[in-house]
Amino acid sequence: MAKVASHGAFQGESPLDYALPLIILQICLVVVVTRSLAYLLRPLRQPRVIAEIIGGILLGPSALGRSTKFLHTVFPPESMTVLDTLANIGLLFFLFLVGLELDLSAIRRTGRKALAISLSGIALPFALGIGTSFAFRATIVKDAPHAPFLVFMGVALSITAFPVLARILTELKLLTTDLGRMALSAAAVDDVMAWILLALAIALSGSASPIISLWVLLTAAGFVIGAFVLLKPVLAWMAHRCREGEPIKELYVCATLAIVLAGGFLTDVIGIHALFGGFVVGVVIPKEGPFAGMLIEKVEDLVSGLFLPLYFVSSGLKTNVATIRGAKSWGLLVLVIANACIGKIGGAVATSLLVKIPVREAVTLGFLMNTKGLVELVVLNIGRDRKVLNDEAFAIMVLMALFTTFITTPIVMAVYKPARPSVPYKRRTVECAPGDADGELRVLACFHSSRNIPTLLNLVEASRGTGHRRLVMYAMHLVELSERSSSITMVQRARRNGVPFFNSADREGQLVVAFEAFQQLSSVRVRAMTAISDLETIHRDVIDSAAGKRAAIVVMPYHKALQQDGSFQSLGSAYHAVNKRVLREAPCSVAILVDRGLGGPAQVSAQNVSFSVAMLFFGGPDDREALAYATRMAEHPGVAVTLARCRPNRPHSDEESADDEAAIEAFKSKVGAVKDGSVHFEEREACAKEVVLETIHSLTKFNVFVVGRMPPTEPLVERPDELGPVGSYLVSPEFRTSASVLVIKRYDPATNPKSKRFDPKARPPAATEEDVLDEAEMGRSAVVPVPWSPVSDCAGHGVR
């Protein structure tokens, strides 16, 4: 391919005979195939690397490439230089991102247990890899250089893929459990050790002379030292000049990327592959401040989305499963898979048992540590390029990496049964039994962005009740987990708990600061949390957290955001689906908060709270729950509550009517004793739709509307959404107001069977050290991890 671009098909030229149109076709084909496979494997909860490896193999000589016409048309031999060059440039920058996400300070703080598990998970498989290499040399790799082949086989079996493991742990909701933290810590140590061993293998494979290999290693060590001594201060200077909330200067991005390329060039000159240069530059960049995050945001989408899949197809084009033929070759495949599993799983399990980790958790940890991924392919490709591995050995090792990673998720799901707190989960509603009226109210309040925080805090402050009726707020930031590596960075910053917490060291974050300031100025206890999951499964984080924290009510944000003109714009059907799933499966009452800026753009201090609340009561369990919430708000000295009761036209059972009357009388007696003129009560008989609309329009000057989700009245709009017949009207264009809306659904196990905890196949949240701290700090008995069993689902009782 002497030319880059063709003159076009109309000139009688085939575009596929030229480099540029051919590489464009190759990139598009690779992206379509790998993304399609990732979609198909999604129900199996497999990481995307599995789809990319399989996609590469399918496009190679093992499947589609068996057609000579396809292979010579789409991936002709003369195009491989361009394809491999682009793939390695993408890999260079991807490993720069991997280094950027690797925090050496966190590795230095690795506990003794994780360190022991990591070292045993390297030593035993490395030894078995060396043993396996003798079987390979005696059969299919007879002419391979001796010492490099031993080291390459040892490294290939001892690697744990840190990014892939983080993805699997996140998918399984295990990332910030004690088990997940230990697995990640051990895998991080493994990652560093793998790079050191790989550098050794490359140095040994470069020359037959041990003196030259020694010079390569010493020069590589000098490069690493020079990067920390000379380069790190320069990068720290650039990082220091980047301010939070300000765009990063284009000069700094350009300079950093140029440094990555220069580092790759130097390590290639040294003889240990250009990838090491990019990785080391990423490691030395300071992780404090916004600089590292901004670099990831600038680089990762192009690299991970377009260039990195080329590396997998480049590997797939070199993988020919057809070379594995005969009993001897298939026997070697079984041998290498068995040794990889025995080494990694056996080493991790044995050490885990020695450090007093329970058997089930130890086995789970062993399978997690057996995860392979991109670094495995890097090792195998370098070994093949350096003539250490032939085509047959390369194909066997690629299938081993694919198999060991593929089995991780299903086996962990089958083996790991986490414990859950043994504390009874009794209070699942705001309304409680008369004897438990002074009990603690636990609220799990969720939000999507920081602009929802002031309204959320003002609502909680107005709902805190009197001093002896304490309120505990768990504020959960709902973050979508994408395939971007920066999502894994957010996850790695997570602190201990059943779901990730904000990084305790990141005290400058506006979210953490807002909650800390609120806790100091209010009598409400606040715990800031983050749930990072795919939107299809993030409702499980909410539900599991509600059960783990024994929340009485979950507050979810409305799936539409307020615009400048007062209208609402949907955030997407996925956010709407999250709310519907939580409403359907939550183990407690659920409220949907429509944010119209309660209290303005900032949190209002406790002594300055002055809100007016309108409660619309029609009857039924949802309205009684909403009334219980409004009753709590009425106890605040700065909150005025107006209760507007509309008796429905629909027939009402005697039992329901009696419950409604009792709730109204309880409201009158309870707030009448503590309030002086700030509570108003209005009642209208047999309210038709027109009367209801008139009543609502007379209340437009209030700050908050509190309504039940499914009152016994006809819909006020044609197609109500999750807010119900009345709540949907309060956010419709026909009703103009600046009032926020709180729509409440009462927990009822009879109509909400999934909430009984919840699906028998679903795993409950694991009890963690954070739960123990929560209980101790809140004056409760300690949480004891015990095997899970269904708990009582009775609602309307006080917390123990």
PDB file of all heavy atoms in Angstrom, residues 140-171:
ATOM      1  N   ILE A 140       5.524 -28.716  22.094  1.00  0.00           N
ATOM      2  CA  ILE A 140       5.179 -27.828  20.965  1.00  0.00           C
ATOM      3  C   ILE A 140       6.081 -26.606  20.845  1.00  0.00           C
ATOM      4  O   ILE A 140       6.005 -25.886  19.846  1.00  0.00           O
ATOM      5  CB  ILE A 140       3.706 -27.367  21.085  1.00  0.00           C
ATOM      6  CG1 ILE A 140       3.486 -26.542  22.350  1.00  0.00           C
ATOM      7  CG2 ILE A 140       2.760 -28.545  21.046  1.00  0.00           C
ATOM      8  CD1 ILE A 140       2.101 -25.926  22.438  1.00  0.00           C
ATOM      9  N   VAL A 141       6.915 -26.319  21.838  1.00  0.00           N
ATOM     10  CA  VAL A 141       7.781 -25.127  21.778  1.00  0.00           C
ATOM     11  C   VAL A 141       9.226 -25.570  22.032  1.00  0.00           C
ATOM     12  O   VAL A 141       9.891 -25.086  22.949  1.00  0.00           O
ATOM     13  CB  VAL A 141       7.352 -24.062  22.811  1.00  0.00           C
ATOM     14  CG1 VAL A 141       7.932 -22.688  22.448  1.00  0.00           C
ATOM     15  CG2 VAL A 141       5.850 -23.948  22.894  1.00  0.00           C
ATOM     16  N   LYS A 142       9.698 -26.471  21.210  1.00  0.00           N
ATOM     17  CA  LYS A 142      10.997 -27.089  21.473  1.00  0.00           C
ATOM     18  C   LYS A 142      12.173 -26.145  21.245  1.00  0.00           C
ATOM     19  O   LYS A 142      13.215 -26.294  21.867  1.00  0.00           O
ATOM     20  CB  LYS A 142      11.158 -28.333  20.598  1.00  0.00           C
ATOM     21  CG  LYS A 142      10.136 -29.425  20.912  1.00  0.00           C
ATOM     22  CD  LYS A 142      10.330 -30.646  20.030  1.00  0.00           C
ATOM     23  CE  LYS A 142       9.317 -31.723  20.376  1.00  0.00           C
ATOM     24  NZ  LYS A 142       9.446 -32.932  19.539  1.00  0.00           N
ATOM     25  N   ASP A 143      12.029 -25.185  20.333  1.00  0.00           N
ATOM     26  CA  ASP A 143      13.155 -24.320  19.998  1.00  0.00           C
ATOM     27  C   ASP A 143      13.092 -22.951  20.669  1.00  0.00           C
ATOM     28  O   ASP A 143      13.814 -22.036  20.279  1.00  0.00           O
ATOM     29  CB  ASP A 143      13.239 -24.142  18.480  1.00  0.00           C
ATOM     30  CG  ASP A 143      11.941 -23.600  17.901  1.00  0.00           C
ATOM     31  OD1 ASP A 143      10.931 -23.595  18.630  1.00  0.00           O
ATOM     32  OD2 ASP A 143      11.928 -23.192  16.719  1.00  0.00           O
ATOM     33  N   ALA A 144      12.219 -22.762  21.680  1.00  0.00           N
ATOM     34  CA  ALA A 144      12.110 -21.463  22.361  1.00  0.00           C
ATOM     35  C   ALA A 144      13.316 -21.241  23.264  1.00  0.00           C
ATOM     36  O   ALA A 144      13.859 -22.198  23.835  1.00  0.00           O
ATOM     37  CB  ALA A 144      10.832 -21.404  23.182  1.00  0.00           C
ATOM     38  N   PRO A 145      13.761 -19.982  23.401  1.00  0.00           N
ATOM     39  CA  PRO A 145      14.856 -19.702  24.349  1.00  0.00           C
ATOM     40  C   PRO A 145      14.453 -20.092  25.761  1.00  0.00           C
ATOM     41  O   PRO A 145      13.327 -19.790  26.197  1.00  0.00           O
ATOM     42  CB  PRO A 145      15.073 -18.196  24.197  1.00  0.00           C
ATOM     43  CG  PRO A 145      13.824 -17.663  23.569  1.00  0.00           C
ATOM     44  CD  PRO A 145      13.277 -18.771  22.730  1.00  0.00           C
ATOM     45  N   HIS A 146      15.366 -20.710  26.475  1.00  0.00           N
ATOM     46  CA  HIS A 146      15.010 -21.370  27.728  1.00  0.00           C
ATOM     47  C   HIS A 146      14.566 -20.391  28.819  1.00  0.00           C
ATOM     48  O   HIS A 146      13.417 -20.423  29.282  1.00  0.00           O
ATOM     49  CB  HIS A 146      16.204 -22.189  28.219  1.00  0.00           C
ATOM     50  CG  HIS A 146      15.891 -23.024  29.427  1.00  0.00           C
ATOM     51  ND1 HIS A 146      14.963 -24.042  29.418  1.00  0.00           N
ATOM     52  CD2 HIS A 146      16.359 -22.958  30.709  1.00  0.00           C
ATOM     53  CE1 HIS A 146      14.882 -24.581  30.613  1.00  0.00           C
ATOM     54  NE2 HIS A 146      15.730 -23.940  31.420  1.00  0.00           N
ATOM     55  N   ALA A 147      15.462 -19.496  29.259  1.00  0.00           N
ATOM     56  CA  ALA A 147      15.167 -18.609  30.394  1.00  0.00           C
ATOM     57  C   ALA A 147      13.993 -17.669  30.109  1.00  0.00           C
ATOM     58  O   ALA A 147      13.084 -17.541  30.941  1.00  0.00           O
ATOM     59  CB  ALA A 147      16.410 -17.825  30.789  1.00  0.00           C
ATOM     60  N   PRO A 148      13.943 -16.991  28.934  1.00  0.00           N
ATOM     61  CA  PRO A 148      12.792 -16.113  28.684  1.00  0.00           C
ATOM     62  C   PRO A 148      11.460 -16.857  28.671  1.00  0.00           C
ATOM     63  O   PRO A 148      10.452 -16.342  29.167  1.00  0.00           O
ATOM     64  CB  PRO A 148      13.095 -15.523  27.296  1.00  0.00           C
ATOM     65  CG  PRO A 148      14.568 -15.625  27.151  1.00  0.00           C
ATOM     66  CD  PRO A 148      14.955 -16.876  27.875  1.00  0.00           C
ATOM     67  N   PHE A 149      11.455 -18.089  28.124  1.00  0.00           N
ATOM     68  CA  PHE A 149      10.207 -18.847  28.070  1.00  0.00           C
ATOM     69  C   PHE A 149       9.711 -19.197  29.469  1.00  0.00           C
ATOM     70  O   PHE A 149       8.507 -19.120  29.753  1.00  0.00           O
ATOM     71  CB  PHE A 149      10.406 -20.120  27.237  1.00  0.00           C
ATOM     72  CG  PHE A 149       9.135 -20.882  27.015  1.00  0.00           C
ATOM     73  CD1 PHE A 149       8.123 -20.365  26.219  1.00  0.00           C
ATOM     74  CD2 PHE A 149       8.934 -22.115  27.616  1.00  0.00           C
ATOM     75  CE1 PHE A 149       6.943 -21.061  26.020  1.00  0.00           C
ATOM     76  CE2 PHE A 149       7.757 -22.818  27.421  1.00  0.00           C
ATOM     77  CZ  PHE A 149       6.752 -22.288  26.623  1.00  0.00           C
ATOM     78  N   LEU A 150      10.635 -19.566  30.354  1.00  0.00           N
ATOM     79  CA  LEU A 150      10.249 -19.856  31.734  1.00  0.00           C
ATOM     80  C   LEU A 150       9.596 -18.645  32.384  1.00  0.00           C
ATOM     81  O   LEU A 150       8.550 -18.753  33.031  1.00  0.00           O
ATOM     82  CB  LEU A 150      11.472 -20.287  32.545  1.00  0.00           C
ATOM     83  CG  LEU A 150      12.188 -21.584  32.156  1.00  0.00           C
ATOM     84  CD1 LEU A 150      13.344 -21.852  33.129  1.00  0.00           C
ATOM     85  CD2 LEU A 150      11.232 -22.760  32.157  1.00  0.00           C
ATOM     86  N   VAL A 151      10.224 -17.471  32.211  1.00  0.00           N
ATOM     87  CA  VAL A 151       9.713 -16.262  32.857  1.00  0.00           C
ATOM     88  C   VAL A 151       8.377 -15.843  32.244  1.00  0.00           C
ATOM     89  O   VAL A 151       7.435 -15.469  32.950  1.00  0.00           O
ATOM     90  CB  VAL A 151      10.737 -15.111  32.770  1.00  0.00           C
ATOM     91  CG1 VAL A 151      10.185 -13.849  33.406  1.00  0.00           C
ATOM     92  CG2 VAL A 151      12.038 -15.514  33.442  1.00  0.00           C
ATOM     93  N   PHE A 152       8.258 -15.914  30.902  1.00  0.00           N
ATOM     94  CA  PHE A 152       6.998 -15.531  30.252  1.00  0.00           C
ATOM     95  C   PHE A 152       5.845 -16.414  30.724  1.00  0.00           C
ATOM     96  O   PHE A 152       4.739 -15.931  30.994  1.00  0.00           O
ATOM     97  CB  PHE A 152       7.133 -15.615  28.726  1.00  0.00           C
ATOM     98  CG  PHE A 152       7.525 -14.315  28.093  1.00  0.00           C
ATOM     99  CD1 PHE A 152       8.821 -14.078  27.681  1.00  0.00           C
ATOM    100  CD2 PHE A 152       6.576 -13.317  27.916  1.00  0.00           C
ATOM    101  CE1 PHE A 152       9.177 -12.877  27.099  1.00  0.00           C
ATOM    102  CE2 PHE A 152       6.921 -12.106  27.326  1.00  0.00           C
ATOM    103  CZ  PHE A 152       8.228 -11.885  26.920  1.00  0.00           C
ATOM    104  N   MET A 153       6.079 -17.729  30.822  1.00  0.00           N
ATOM    105  CA  MET A 153       5.017 -18.624  31.281  1.00  0.00           C
ATOM    106  C   MET A 153       4.650 -18.340  32.743  1.00  0.00           C
ATOM    107  O   MET A 153       3.474 -18.356  33.119  1.00  0.00           O
ATOM    108  CB  MET A 153       5.468 -20.077  31.121  1.00  0.00           C
ATOM    109  CG  MET A 153       5.526 -20.546  29.687  1.00  0.00           C
ATOM    110  SD  MET A 153       3.916 -20.556  28.863  1.00  0.00           S
ATOM    111  CE  MET A 153       3.071 -21.824  29.776  1.00  0.00           C
ATOM    112  N   GLY A 154       5.653 -18.074  33.567  1.00  0.00           N
ATOM    113  CA  GLY A 154       5.374 -17.744  34.966  1.00  0.00           C
ATOM    114  C   GLY A 154       4.565 -16.471  35.109  1.00  0.00           C
ATOM    115  O   GLY A 154       3.588 -16.413  35.867  1.00  0.00           O
ATOM    116  N   VAL A 155       4.948 -15.431  34.331  1.00  0.00           N
ATOM    117  CA  VAL A 155       4.226 -14.157  34.381  1.00  0.00           C
ATOM    118  C   VAL A 155       2.798 -14.337  33.872  1.00  0.00           C
ATOM    119  O   VAL A 155       1.838 -13.811  34.452  1.00  0.00           O
ATOM    120  CB  VAL A 155       4.971 -13.082  33.557  1.00  0.00           C
ATOM    121  CG1 VAL A 155       4.135 -11.815  33.457  1.00  0.00           C
ATOM    122  CG2 VAL A 155       6.315 -12.767  34.181  1.00  0.00           C
ATOM    123  N   ALA A 156       2.627 -15.087  32.781  1.00  0.00           N
ATOM    124  CA  ALA A 156       1.301 -15.262  32.181  1.00  0.00           C
ATOM    125  C   ALA A 156       0.327 -15.911  33.151  1.00  0.00           C
ATOM    126  O   ALA A 156      -0.868 -15.580  33.163  1.00  0.00           O
ATOM    127  CB  ALA A 156       1.418 -16.090  30.901  1.00  0.00           C
ATOM    128  N   LEU A 157       0.799 -16.829  33.976  1.00  0.00           N
ATOM    129  CA  LEU A 157      -0.093 -17.508  34.913  1.00  0.00           C
ATOM    130  C   LEU A 157      -0.302 -16.736  36.209  1.00  0.00           C
ATOM    131  O   LEU A 157      -1.277 -16.977  36.925  1.00  0.00           O
ATOM    132  CB  LEU A 157       0.441 -18.907  35.243  1.00  0.00           C
ATOM    133  CG  LEU A 157      -0.126 -20.051  34.381  1.00  0.00           C
ATOM    134  CD1 LEU A 157       0.316 -19.891  32.922  1.00  0.00           C
ATOM    135  CD2 LEU A 157       0.321 -21.401  34.915  1.00  0.00           C
ATOM    136  N   SER A 158       0.596 -15.810  36.536  1.00  0.00           N
ATOM    137  CA  SER A 158       0.518 -15.138  37.838  1.00  0.00           C
ATOM    138  C   SER A 158      -0.161 -13.775  37.794  1.00  0.00           C
ATOM    139  O   SER A 158      -0.355 -13.137  38.826  1.00  0.00           O
ATOM    140  CB  SER A 158       1.926 -14.974  38.424  1.00  0.00           C
ATOM    141  OG  SER A 158       2.739 -14.201  37.562  1.00  0.00           O
ATOM    142  N   ILE A 159      -0.568 -13.308  36.614  1.00  0.00           N
ATOM    143  CA  ILE A 159      -1.157 -11.977  36.477  1.00  0.00           C
ATOM    144  C   ILE A 159      -2.593 -11.962  36.995  1.00  0.00           C
ATOM    145  O   ILE A 159      -3.355 -12.918  36.816  1.00  0.00           O
ATOM    146  CB  ILE A 159      -1.122 -11.529  34.997  1.00  0.00           C
ATOM    147  CG1 ILE A 159       0.291 -11.081  34.621  1.00  0.00           C
ATOM    148  CG2 ILE A 159      -2.118 -10.413  34.726  1.00  0.00           C
ATOM    149  CD1 ILE A 159       0.435 -10.737  33.163  1.00  0.00           C
ATOM    150  N   THR A 160      -2.968 -10.861  37.659  1.00  0.00           N
ATOM    151  CA  THR A 160      -4.368 -10.547  37.972  1.00  0.00           C
ATOM    152  C   THR A 160      -4.699  -9.212  37.313  1.00  0.00           C
ATOM    153  O   THR A 160      -3.981  -8.234  37.501  1.00  0.00           O
ATOM    154  CB  THR A 160      -4.605 -10.445  39.484  1.00  0.00           C
ATOM    155  OG1 THR A 160      -4.345 -11.707  40.093  1.00  0.00           O
ATOM    156  CG2 THR A 160      -6.031 -10.035  39.782  1.00  0.00           C
ATOM    157  N   ALA A 161      -5.773  -9.172  36.531  1.00  0.00           N
ATOM    158  CA  ALA A 161      -6.136  -7.957  35.788  1.00  0.00           C
ATOM    159  C   ALA A 161      -6.883  -7.001  36.715  1.00  0.00           C
ATOM    160  O   ALA A 161      -8.061  -7.204  37.004  1.00  0.00           O
ATOM    161  CB  ALA A 161      -6.975  -8.313  34.575  1.00  0.00           C
ATOM    162  N   PHE A 162      -6.194  -5.964  37.151  1.00  0.00           N
ATOM    163  CA  PHE A 162      -6.777  -5.020  38.113  1.00  0.00           C
ATOM    164  C   PHE A 162      -8.025  -4.319  37.568  1.00  0.00           C
ATOM    165  O   PHE A 162      -9.072  -4.309  38.226  1.00  0.00           O
ATOM    166  CB  PHE A 162      -5.709  -4.007  38.526  1.00  0.00           C
ATOM    167  CG  PHE A 162      -6.183  -2.991  39.521  1.00  0.00           C
ATOM    168  CD1 PHE A 162      -6.268  -3.317  40.857  1.00  0.00           C
ATOM    169  CD2 PHE A 162      -6.547  -1.722  39.121  1.00  0.00           C
ATOM    170  CE1 PHE A 162      -6.699  -2.384  41.786  1.00  0.00           C
ATOM    171  CE2 PHE A 162      -6.984  -0.788  40.033  1.00  0.00           C
ATOM    172  CZ  PHE A 162      -7.055  -1.118  41.373  1.00  0.00           C
ATOM    173  N   PRO A 163      -8.006  -3.710  36.351  1.00  0.00           N
ATOM    174  CA  PRO A 163      -9.213  -3.025  35.858  1.00  0.00           C
ATOM    175  C   PRO A 163     -10.387  -3.979  35.649  1.00  0.00           C
ATOM    176  O   PRO A 163     -11.534  -3.632  35.923  1.00  0.00           O
ATOM    177  CB  PRO A 163      -8.744  -2.404  34.524  1.00  0.00           C
ATOM    178  CG  PRO A 163      -7.257  -2.351  34.609  1.00  0.00           C
ATOM    179  CD  PRO A 163      -6.862  -3.536  35.423  1.00  0.00           C
ATOM    180  N   VAL A 164     -10.108  -5.193  35.146  1.00  0.00           N
ATOM    181  CA  VAL A 164     -11.190  -6.159  34.915  1.00  0.00           C
ATOM    182  C   VAL A 164     -11.784  -6.611  36.244  1.00  0.00           C
ATOM    183  O   VAL A 164     -13.003  -6.750  36.387  1.00  0.00           O
ATOM    184  CB  VAL A 164     -10.663  -7.365  34.112  1.00  0.00           C
ATOM    185  CG1 VAL A 164     -11.776  -8.387  33.888  1.00  0.00           C
ATOM    186  CG2 VAL A 164     -10.098  -6.903  32.777  1.00  0.00           C
ATOM    187  N   LEU A 165     -10.932  -6.827  37.231  1.00  0.00           N
ATOM    188  CA  LEU A 165     -11.418  -7.225  38.552  1.00  0.00           C
ATOM    189  C   LEU A 165     -12.305  -6.145  39.162  1.00  0.00           C
ATOM    190  O   LEU A 165     -13.356  -6.436  39.748  1.00  0.00           O
ATOM    191  CB  LEU A 165     -10.232  -7.515  39.472  1.00  0.00           C
ATOM    192  CG  LEU A 165     -10.570  -7.867  40.922  1.00  0.00           C
ATOM    193  CD1 LEU A 165     -11.415  -9.131  40.984  1.00  0.00           C
ATOM    194  CD2 LEU A 165      -9.299  -8.047  41.738  1.00  0.00           C
ATOM    195  N   ALA A 166     -11.891  -4.884  39.021  1.00  0.00           N
ATOM    196  CA  ALA A 166     -12.706  -3.780  39.546  1.00  0.00           C
ATOM    197  C   ALA A 166     -14.070  -3.745  38.870  1.00  0.00           C
ATOM    198  O   ALA A 166     -15.097  -3.519  39.521  1.00  0.00           O
ATOM    199  CB  ALA A 166     -11.983  -2.447  39.338  1.00  0.00           C
ATOM    200  N   ARG A 167     -14.101  -4.015  37.559  1.00  0.00           N
ATOM    201  CA  ARG A 167     -15.376  -4.032  36.842  1.00  0.00           C
ATOM    202  C   ARG A 167     -16.270  -5.166  37.341  1.00  0.00           C
ATOM    203  O   ARG A 167     -17.469  -4.985  37.563  1.00  0.00           O
ATOM    204  CB  ARG A 167     -15.094  -4.196  35.343  1.00  0.00           C
ATOM    205  CG  ARG A 167     -16.300  -4.394  34.472  1.00  0.00           C
ATOM    206  CD  ARG A 167     -17.146  -3.159  34.350  1.00  0.00           C
ATOM    207  NE  ARG A 167     -16.390  -2.026  33.864  1.00  0.00           N
ATOM    208  CZ  ARG A 167     -16.892  -0.826  33.669  1.00  0.00           C
ATOM    209  NH1 ARG A 167     -18.163  -0.598  33.935  1.00  0.00           N
ATOM    210  NH2 ARG A 167     -16.143   0.173  33.244  1.00  0.00           N
ATOM    211  N   ILE A 168     -15.699  -6.357  37.534  1.00  0.00           N
ATOM    212  CA  ILE A 168     -16.490  -7.506  37.995  1.00  0.00           C
ATOM    213  C   ILE A 168     -17.034  -7.246  39.401  1.00  0.00           C
ATOM    214  O   ILE A 168     -18.202  -7.518  39.695  1.00  0.00           O
ATOM    215  CB  ILE A 168     -15.628  -8.783  37.964  1.00  0.00           C
ATOM    216  CG1 ILE A 168     -15.348  -9.194  36.510  1.00  0.00           C
ATOM    217  CG2 ILE A 168     -16.320  -9.926  38.703  1.00  0.00           C
ATOM    218  CD1 ILE A 168     -14.383 -10.347  36.374  1.00  0.00           C
ATOM    219  N   LEU A 169     -16.197  -6.705  40.278  1.00  0.00           N
ATOM    220  CA  LEU A 169     -16.639  -6.422  41.642  1.00  0.00           C
ATOM    221  C   LEU A 169     -17.771  -5.397  41.648  1.00  0.00           C
ATOM    222  O   LEU A 169     -18.715  -5.493  42.442  1.00  0.00           O
ATOM    223  CB  LEU A 169     -15.469  -5.912  42.481  1.00  0.00           C
ATOM    224  CG  LEU A 169     -14.396  -6.943  42.841  1.00  0.00           C
ATOM    225  CD1 LEU A 169     -13.190  -6.246  43.464  1.00  0.00           C
ATOM    226  CD2 LEU A 169     -14.956  -7.979  43.799  1.00  0.00           C
ATOM    227  N   THR A 170     -17.674  -4.418  40.753  1.00  0.00           N
ATOM    228  CA  THR A 170     -18.723  -3.404  40.680  1.00  0.00           C
ATOM    229  C   THR A 170     -20.028  -4.011  40.187  1.00  0.00           C
ATOM    230  O   THR A 170     -21.106  -3.735  40.723  1.00  0.00           O
ATOM    231  CB  THR A 170     -18.290  -2.264  39.742  1.00  0.00           C
ATOM    232  OG1 THR A 170     -17.022  -1.771  40.152  1.00  0.00           O
ATOM    233  CG2 THR A 170     -19.300  -1.135  39.762  1.00  0.00           C
ATOM    234  N   GLU A 171     -19.951  -4.842  39.158  1.00  0.00           N
ATOM    235  CA  GLU A 171     -21.149  -5.485  38.618  1.00  0.00           C
ATOM    236  C   GLU A 171     -21.836  -6.344  39.680  1.00  0.00           C
ATOM    237  O   GLU A 171     -23.063  -6.437  39.729  1.00  0.00           O
ATOM    238  CB  GLU A 171     -20.784  -6.351  37.410  1.00  0.00           C
ATOM    239  CG  GLU A 171     -20.374  -5.570  36.175  1.00  0.00           C
ATOM    240  CD  GLU A 171     -21.550  -4.927  35.472  1.00  0.00           C
ATOM    241  OE1 GLU A 171     -22.695  -5.280  35.798  1.00  0.00           O
ATOM    242  OE2 GLU A 171     -21.319  -4.058  34.614  1.00  0.00           O
TER     243      GLU A 171
END
